[in-house]
Amino acid sequence: MSDGSLSQDEIDALLQGTDTIEVESAGGPAASPLSEAERATLQEMLRGVTESQGSNLSILTGKSVTIGDPVVRVRTPTDLAADAPEDLVDVRVDLTDGLRGEHSYLLSRESAAAIASLMMGQQGAELDEASLSAVAEAITQITGTAATAIGNQIGRLIKTAPPDLRQ
């Protein structure tokens, strides 16, 4: 809808938890569910979050960690899966209170191994149970930082679930 309101079909889709919603714009074709202003606001909020996450990882690993500027893109689950590398480690840390939603970090196996190496103070860590646990701990720490930063910005206490690792 052109006035920013949700149609009954869109509300029903949200309540049913469907993966994608097509929003008709005034021009006819499906548009992004985020306006340019909303996308820019989210990107700016995430910029502050990634700075905190980089600082936290620096403390955890004893190394200087810088996380690049976030990029916000709206993607369907199908498009995301099609573009993702085949070998991924998915560390899921869902938001459970104050803000609810699914939250995953998708890491290449190489990135996961690098994080595990830093966390464990070893070079060339293999992705075994111990190193995956170290990756989950790192992600838990940066997710906690992100939840705190976002919570401060929106005025709510945000809680997260324990990490769920999938590979």
Side-chain angles (χ1 to χ4, degrees):
M1 306 201 91
S2 62
D3 65 357
S5 301
L6 293 176
S7 69
Q8 187 60 50
D9 289 338
E10 292 163 338
I11 293 168
D12 292 342
L14 286 170
L15 293 173
Q16 293 173 10
T18 59
D19 289 323
T20 58
I21 300 171
E22 288 192 17
V23 180
E24 290 294 321
S25 67
S32 170
L34 294 176
S35 71
E36 186 59 31
E38 290 168 329
R39 190 194 61 73
T41 299
L42 180 58
Q43 191 160 336
E44 185 58 35
M45 180 178 67
L46 291 174
R47 187 171 288 114
V49 168
T50 58
E51 289 171 7
S52 296
Q53 290 175 325
S55 295
N56 202 13
L57 281 176
S58 293
I59 292 166
L60 283 171
T61 63
K63 305 280 185 187
S64 177
V65 176
T66 303
I67 299 174
D69 275 345
V71 176
V72 176
R73 292 184 304 228
V74 177
R75 316 264 318 266
T76 66
T78 303
D79 290 343
L80 184 61
D83 292 342
E86 209 168 292
D87 279 343
L88 284 177
V89 174
D90 176 5
V91 185
R92 186 171 175 160
V93 185
D94 291 341
L95 306 173
T96 60
D97 198 21
L99 191 61
R100 292 195 179 279
E102 296 175 359
H103 181 240
S104 283
Y105 289 84
L106 302 176
L107 306 168
S108 68
R109 291 184 64 77
E110 294 79 23
S111 293
I115 292 169
S117 293
L118 288 170
M119 290 291 292
M120 297 170 68
Q122 303 173 2
Q123 292 291 351
E126 295 293 321
L127 287 181
D128 58 14
E129 190 174 326
S131 60
L132 288 171
S133 178
V135 171
E137 177 59 25
I139 296 299
T140 298
Q141 291 295 320
I142 63 174
T143 301
T145 301
T148 299
I150 293 168
N152 288 341
Q153 291 182 24
I154 65 172
R156 293 185 195 163
L157 176 64
I158 298 175
K159 295 182 181 177
T160 60
D164 179 20
L165 222 76
R166 301 171 186 174
Q167 43 173 343

